[in-house]
Amino acid sequence: MRQLFLACSLITSVMCLLMCGIPVLPGITHKTAAKNGVAITGLLIFIGAFEMGVGPCFYVLAQDLFPKNFRPTGASATNVMQFAFNVIINVCYPIATEALSGGASGNQDKGQAIAFIFFGCIGLVCFVFQCLFLKPWDETHKVTASAPEVERHSEPDYARKEEKMATQADIHAAVAKNRD
């Protein structure tokens, strides 16, 4: 259920990024009100889908991806990478938008459209990567060769004592029967 919820949230977020980028491309529409309305609607839906889905779950997901013995290190490394990418995006977005637009005097809509479409495509690639390779680490489904031994040793002590007493009683009964 959790994977379906996250998948729907990711797909909605990616589609909204594309929805923000495509109408802003030069030549798609000449009406500024329509262009701005679609872009703002896309951003609002993106923020809503992200914050109700993947956004607050990131730290829980980072814990689920690693085995217990590597969980603190893996989750910390994942959080550092998220922070680093956030800084890179926030610093580089205005620079990239201006550069893709042809400079400060160019059409800034072109740069924004390319950036949003680029982020949407990266989101699709990450979504496919997540579906194919990133599965929650599950300790309960690990099968080992020593599983029967673990079960045998996990019995309560009284059960083993009763079994031992029954075996001793059988031996005494057999010895008594042989004397007669």
Side-chain angles (χ1 to χ4, degrees), residues 58 62 65-66 73-83:
F58 175 77
L65 292 177
F66 302 104
T73 306
S76 297
T78 304
N79 289 337
V80 167
M81 291 301 295
Q82 181 202 25
F83 179 75

Side-chain angles (χ1 to χ4, degrees), residues 172-180:
H172 289 300
V175 169
K177 188 176 185 180
N178 285 340
R179 277 193 228 160
D180 295 334

Side-chain angles (χ1 to χ4, degrees), residues 4-14 49-55:
L4 176 65
F5 177 69
L6 292 174
C8 292
S9 172
L10 283 170
I11 291 292
T12 304
S13 297
V14 168
F50 185 78
E51 291 302 325
M52 289 189 299
V54 181

Side-chain angles (χ1 to χ4, degrees), residues 52-126:
M52 289 189 299
V54 181
C57 296
F58 175 77
Y59 301 102
V60 175
L61 293 173
Q63 296 287 327
D64 281 350
L65 292 177
F66 302 104
K68 283 186 179 180
N69 60 345
F70 189 68
R71 209 166 269 175
T73 306
S76 297
T78 304
N79 289 337
V80 167
M81 291 301 295
Q82 181 202 25
F83 179 75
F85 282 119
N86 283 340
V87 169
I88 290 169
I89 288 171
N90 286 321
V91 169
C92 294
Y93 179 77
I95 298 167
T97 301
E98 187 175 320
L100 291 170
S101 299
S105 61
N107 187 355
Q108 297 301 309
D109 287 346
K110 178 183 174 187
Q112 287 182 359
I114 292 171
F116 277 116
I117 292 170
F118 174 75
F119 289 139
C121 292
I122 292 294
L124 284 175
V125 169
C126 290

